[in-house]
Amino acid sequence: MTQQMREIIRIDEEKCNGCGLCVPSCAEGALQIIDGKARIVKDSFCDGLGACLGECPQGALSIEKRLTDAFDEEAVHEHMKTLGKAAPAAPAASHDCGCGDGGHSHHAYHSHQGHHAAQAAAATPAVAATTATAPAAEPPRMGGCPGSALRMMQREKAAPAQAATPAQGAERPSELTHWPVQLKLVPVQAPFFEDARLVVAADCAAFAYADFHQRFLQGKSLVIACPKLDDIAFYRQKLTQIFRQNRIRSIDVIHMEVPCCTGLVHVVQEALNDAGRGAQADAGLRIPLNLVKIGIAGQVLAEQKG
């Protein structure tokens, strides 16, 4: 493998809390959560363009220049195939963005645009805020997604009768207390995990069971995942960190009756054991685990209290 002096992502392990928000933003699959920390799987998978930087709430990611393996696009494509994910788009014609690095592929060019725009915004935030006089195109982001920004929602408690039988034509109120809810996106130490009754639900459960909010979500925090399509090893590591670093009162796992969906039960049980909070733990450490199986026809098939 050819080595060269080039830019590559640097991870500050002291700052990294293993939230995993950087992982989905890396189009090359170079980042994974290993032993509770973000790590580069292989240097040759990292293009050094920094699409992940804007996702880290801890400021643990930066770019450094050092001697390392050259970026290997073919190896990235093979790596993405093993992950069952689409590989980054093939390079188009080269461009010169004037940054001194010569021509870039289409992918690299736009990543560099975001990199330079973010650097400029960080250097002169006051100017950027005061010179805007009319709506303009949104500036390039370094992988940041406003849709994954953490939000808390305050809900007014409805009277029991009102919640059970809303007025004709009225919508039932949502019981969701926070955003995001996808397990891949939530921070490990999100405020909604503290002293929480946690619901870990299969993606399909809320669609199959009509009264999901009213029956399972009132007063609880939610994360969703798919044990068939998602990275279960990553989820086990992340759930382990969540269970270790937060005071969680109970866990409800709501899964579908299809066999693959029981993987969600297993990964939660394994994470609880890894965190020392499972069924074999001392009473003061054990987190009660309740299981609910939903049928594909929309009914509750079984409930098991832990």
Side-chain angles (χ1 to χ4, degrees):
M1 174 66 70
T2 304
Q3 290 205 324
Q4 59 182 222
M5 288 294 297
R6 70 178 183 92
E7 292 183 339
I8 191 169
I9 296 299
R10 177 182 179 275
I11 303 169
D12 187 332
E13 291 196 7
E14 293 298 319
K15 293 181 179 179
C16 177
N17 65 2
C19 71
L21 291 178
C22 59
V23 174
S25 69
C26 180
E28 294 76 25
L31 294 173
Q32 287 186 15
I33 302 300
I34 301 174
D35 297 330
K37 299 287 184 180
R39 303 186 193 280
I40 297 178
V41 179
K42 187 179 288 188
D43 284 1
S44 59
F45 294 164
C46 176
D47 60 11
L49 296 177
C52 56
L53 299 190
E55 299 289 356
C56 181
Q58 305 297 321
L61 303 180
S62 60
I63 294 178
E64 65 178 357
K65 194 167 187 177
R66 61 178 170 85
L67 182 65
T68 187
D69 294 337
F71 176 64
D72 188 338
E73 188 172 346
E74 291 186 5
V76 167
H77 279 249
E78 293 302 315
H79 173 57
M80 296 303 285
K81 287 180 183 178
T82 65
L83 296 178
K85 300 177 181 178
S94 294
H95 305 273
D96 188 351
C97 69
C99 68
D101 290 342
H104 308 291
S105 70
H106 182 75
H107 166 70
Y109 171 66
H110 288 289
S111 296
H112 270 272
Q113 280 188 315
H115 177 58
H116 296 323
Q119 285 182 323
T124 58
V127 173
T130 57
T131 58
T133 58
E138 188 175 348
R141 285 193 179 89
M142 297 172 60
C145 175
S148 62
L150 193 150
R151 306 177 192 178
M152 302 292 290
M153 278 82 82
Q154 298 296 324
R155 302 290 185 191
E156 293 184 6
K157 290 187 178 180
Q162 180 182 352
T165 56
Q168 187 174 2
E171 295 183 350
R172 288 185 183 273
S174 172
E175 297 294 340
L176 192 64
T177 61
H178 61 87
W179 186 266
V181 295
Q182 223 291 336
L183 182 54
K184 187 178 290 184
L185 299 178
V186 296
V188 168
Q189 290 186 299
F192 48 80
F193 286 140
E194 188 60 22
D195 200 32
R197 291 188 294 158
L198 180 63
V199 174
V200 181
D203 290 355
C204 302
F207 293 95
Y209 191 75
D211 286 330
F212 182 87
H213 277 241
Q214 283 65 43
R215 179 159 179 179
F216 299 121
L217 206 53
Q218 288 185 354
K220 298 180 180 179
S221 298
L222 171 71
V223 293
I224 64 172
C226 177
K228 184 177 180 66
L229 302 179
D230 296 342
D231 185 345
I232 288 298
F234 166 74
Y235 281 159
R236 176 174 176 176
Q237 293 172 347
K238 187 162 189 179
L239 284 169
T240 299
Q241 295 301 314
I242 290 172
F243 300 156
R244 279 177 179 164
Q245 298 183 35
N246 300 279
R247 186 170 60 249
I248 294 176
R249 295 164 57 188
S250 66
I251 301 171
D252 299 340
V253 177
I254 304 176
H255 63 101
M256 300 299 298
E257 67 172 311
V258 292
C260 59
C261 208
T262 59
L264 190 61
V265 176
H266 297 320
V267 75
V268 172
Q269 291 173 329
E270 291 166 352
L272 281 170
N273 291 333
D274 293 345
R277 311 297 299 276
Q280 305 304 317
D282 295 338
L285 296 174
R286 185 168 61 248
I287 300 176
L289 177 63
N290 309 311
L291 307 178
V292 180
K293 182 191 294 185
I294 305 294
I296 58 176
Q299 73 278 43
V300 175
L301 295 181
E303 291 189 71
Q304 179 181 333
K305 298 291 184 181

